[in-house]
Amino acid sequence: MLQTLYSYFWWERLWLPANLTWADLEDRDGRVYAKASDLYVTIPLAFLFLIVRHLFEMYVATPLAGLLNVKEKIRLKATPNPVLEKFYAATTKHPKQADVEMLSKQSGCTVRQVERWFRRRRNQDRPSLLKKFREASWRFTFYLIAFIAGMAVIVDKPWFYDLREVWKGYPIQSMLPSQYWYYMIELSFYWSLLFSIASDVKRKDFKEQIIHHVATIILISFSWFANYIRAGTLIMALHDSSDYLLESAKMFNYAGWRNTCNNIFIVFAAVFIVTRLVILPFWIMHCTVVYPLDLYPAFFGYYFFNFMMVVLQSLHIFWAYLIIRMAQKFI
């Protein structure tokens, strides 16, 4: 049964255009092609990223936080109360008025004291400013290095200037060593983000972040399987171009540098809107939707890749709405 499922999963018609087989993408005559087995290395690399991140946060981000004078606000702790603690842990952190009145009778506290206890208890569980700063510092460092590396990988390639070159000779396109490492590092990083998301600071867009990480991992993996590497490198570099700006704005916000944070955020908002609401849909997605049809009939992989691009684009529209609202407040 597993062999049957394996055969169906790797059926050429799912991944490759008509009249092409996996045999056409075997290494020969000095040409090297992407292989699914290459991606096995990304899982151990993801755990290596988690180790490097831990060391970075301890020995780089923490001293940097001290230099930028990142200070914790004094938080009043909730008085130990077994009745309220049990309700807080087992039922809800935000009790309704009826629950507050019931807990008041059970604990011997006034309604006002119960409400104050839950406020302070929730405040205790909020992530520390130092934790937020260290996470932002790590992501800023990676995204900045990844963006610089990504531009170095693609800036001298003809498809960076002419998007029709993305599909020239597809899928018989040899993989370059720089493309291999760019893919492996980016995919490993997103695996590490997915593995650590439960322990990271939980934000309001937590669900959207999970969807984004999963969609990104699927897109990167699929583009590797189907040899969409040229398009994939363009998409990854485009995404990294604004992310490091957001993380740097967060760092200055946690350090209390409000004006610097606001100015960087305005720049981030402009770059985000241009890259993800203009360049991505009207250049990159046009390239992945329209140009391939000039070379071969649409197949499952074509539809699947572009569907995942639509998922990402939908998330970008959602985030752009939030970003524009925040930018309006700063302006």
Side-chain angles (χ1 to χ4, degrees), residues 10 17 21 26 28-29 40 60 79 87 89 94 106 131 158 165 171 201 208 212 242 258 260 268 298 305:
W10 291 112
T21 66
E26 291 180 358
R28 62 170 66 89
D29 301 328
Y40 291 145
V60 179
T79 306
F87 187 91
H94 299 272
Q106 293 179 356
K131 179 177 174 62
E165 291 286 330
V201 175
E208 288 80 8
H212 175 268
S242 61
R258 301 297 179 188
T260 305
F268 157 74
F305 182 85

Side-chain angles (χ1 to χ4, degrees), residues 59-263:
Y59 298 108
V60 179
T62 301
L64 181 60
L67 290 174
L68 293 177
N69 203 24
V70 176
K71 292 183 178 179
E72 290 292 345
K73 294 180 180 179
I74 298 175
R75 298 180 182 180
L76 297 174
K77 292 186 178 181
T79 306
N81 189 309
V83 174
L84 300 182
E85 186 67 41
K86 182 179 179 181
F87 187 91
Y88 180 89
T91 308
T92 180
K93 299 178 181 180
H94 299 272
K96 297 179 180 178
Q97 188 60 36
D99 296 325
V100 171
E101 293 174 359
M102 176 194 70
L103 290 168
S104 174
K105 295 176 183 177
Q106 293 179 356
S107 63
C109 301
T110 65
V111 169
R112 194 176 188 83
Q113 287 174 332
V114 172
E115 291 172 342
R116 186 185 300 118
W117 187 93
F118 272 91
R119 280 199 303 273
R120 290 181 176 178
R121 186 65 183 82
R122 287 194 297 269
N123 207 33
Q124 281 180 227
D125 282 351
R126 287 175 58 195
S128 69
L129 206 61
L130 178 59
K131 179 177 174 62
K132 292 180 179 180
F133 181 87
R134 296 196 307 186
E135 287 186 10
S137 300
W138 165 247
R139 288 194 294 265
F140 163 77
T141 303
F142 175 83
Y143 288 135
L144 179 59
I145 294 173
F147 175 63
I148 295 171
M151 293 305 296
V153 168
I154 62 175
V155 74
D156 61 339
K157 306 299 186 295
W159 55 85
F160 181 71
Y161 305 95
D162 181 3
L163 292 179
R164 289 190 178 275
E165 291 286 330
V166 168
W167 306 106
K168 187 176 181 180
Y170 178 83
I172 312 301
Q173 296 173 339
S174 183
M175 175 190 66
L176 303 174
S178 57
Q179 293 172 326
Y180 172 85
W181 285 110
Y182 188 33
Y183 257 82
M184 297 304 109
I185 291 172
E186 284 275 353
L187 184 55
S188 301
F189 179 75
Y190 279 103
W191 273 121
S192 73
L193 288 183
L194 191 63
F195 293 157
S196 65
I197 197 168
S199 60
D200 288 345
V201 175
K202 193 170 183 179
R203 305 183 183 278
K204 293 179 181 179
D205 61 348
F206 178 75
K207 294 179 181 178
E208 288 80 8
Q209 286 285 356
I210 293 177
I211 295 172
H212 175 268
H213 295 340
V214 172
T216 301
I217 289 170
I218 292 173
L219 258 176
I220 294 175
S221 301
F222 175 81
S223 64
W224 186 260
F225 296 159
N227 213 25
Y228 276 40
I229 295 176
R230 293 182 181 180
T233 53
L234 291 174
I235 294 166
M236 289 189 293
L238 189 72
H239 280 73
D240 291 335
S241 65
S242 61
D243 287 340
Y244 70 90
L245 291 170
L246 175 61
E247 299 304 331
S248 63
K250 290 178 182 178
M251 290 168 62
F252 285 113
N253 179 48
Y254 301 144
W257 297 28
R258 301 297 179 188
N259 290 334
T260 305
C261 165
N262 294 348
N263 291 332

